[in-house]
Amino acid sequence: MDHRIRCIAADDNHDGYDCEADSCGGWVVFKAPELSYEAIIKAYDDMRFYSSTGPEIKQCYIEDGVFVLDCSPVRRVHLMTQGIDPVYCGYAPENDLTHIEIDISEVPDTARFLWLQLTDGGGHKAWMNPYYLKD
């Protein structure tokens, strides 16, 4: 049975509770051929979506042992496995990272999946769903 994690992030709205306005700050981007219920549910089932408060993931894939990412300009890229220690940290104080290629041959054999966190110059983040390396 498939027990793969699917991650959806949304805003944590506290408007009206003596906090700064923080509504409408997060969204989910689905890679679907059309805007229909069926297409969105299929993209969800196939894990073809990511969550963001700013950065855009244009494409992300693994080919020939290389993790490839194209995105809107960001300051920080973390590629993670299970746990909290990244297997790759990219940083550009100029907030101009838009393409990375990471050799994943050094990823521990125990890693079941990879996932990505992007942070732009304003502190806005995007989170990719896990990319499963093993069943």
Side-chain angles (χ1 to χ4, degrees):
M1 178 169 271
D2 186 6
H3 293 290
R4 294 186 172 187
I5 299 168
R6 289 167 177 81
C7 301
I8 293 181
D11 355 7
D12 187 14
N13 187 333
H14 294 106
D15 289 352
Y17 294 98
D18 296 324
C19 294
E20 64 183 315
D22 63 354
S23 58
C24 303
W27 55 89
V28 177
V29 178
F30 289 92
K31 183 177 181 182
E34 63 185 45
L35 182 58
S36 70
Y37 176 83
E38 293 79 13
I40 297 301
I41 294 301
K42 175 80 170 122
Y44 174 81
D45 287 344
D46 293 344
M47 297 179 69
R48 290 177 303 158
F49 64 93
Y50 69 93
S51 300
S52 186
T53 62
E56 177 185 2
I57 298 173
K58 297 179 180 178
Q59 67 175 351
C60 187
Y61 59 91
I62 294 176
E63 185 173 81
D64 298 327
V66 176
F67 187 96
V68 179
L69 167 73
D70 288 305
C71 61
S72 60
V74 296
R75 177 178 291 175
R76 186 177 303 129
V77 174
H78 286 160
L79 183 64
M80 315 283 283
T81 63
Q82 299 90 276
I84 60 171
D85 294 324
V87 294
Y88 172 84
C89 295
Y91 178 72
E94 306 83 24
N95 193 50
D96 63 355
L97 283 174
T98 58
H99 178 84
I100 62 165
E101 295 185 14
I102 305 164
D103 178 357
I104 61 169
S105 64
E106 298 298 316
V107 171
D109 289 339
T110 56
R112 191 165 165 238
F113 57 83
L114 296 171
W115 66 279
L116 187 70
Q117 177 180 290
L118 307 174
T119 308
D120 69 16
H124 302 102
K125 296 183 184 298
W127 303 269
M128 177 188 106
N129 270 287
Y131 182 95
Y132 284 89
L133 302 170
K134 302 174 184 176
D135 289 326

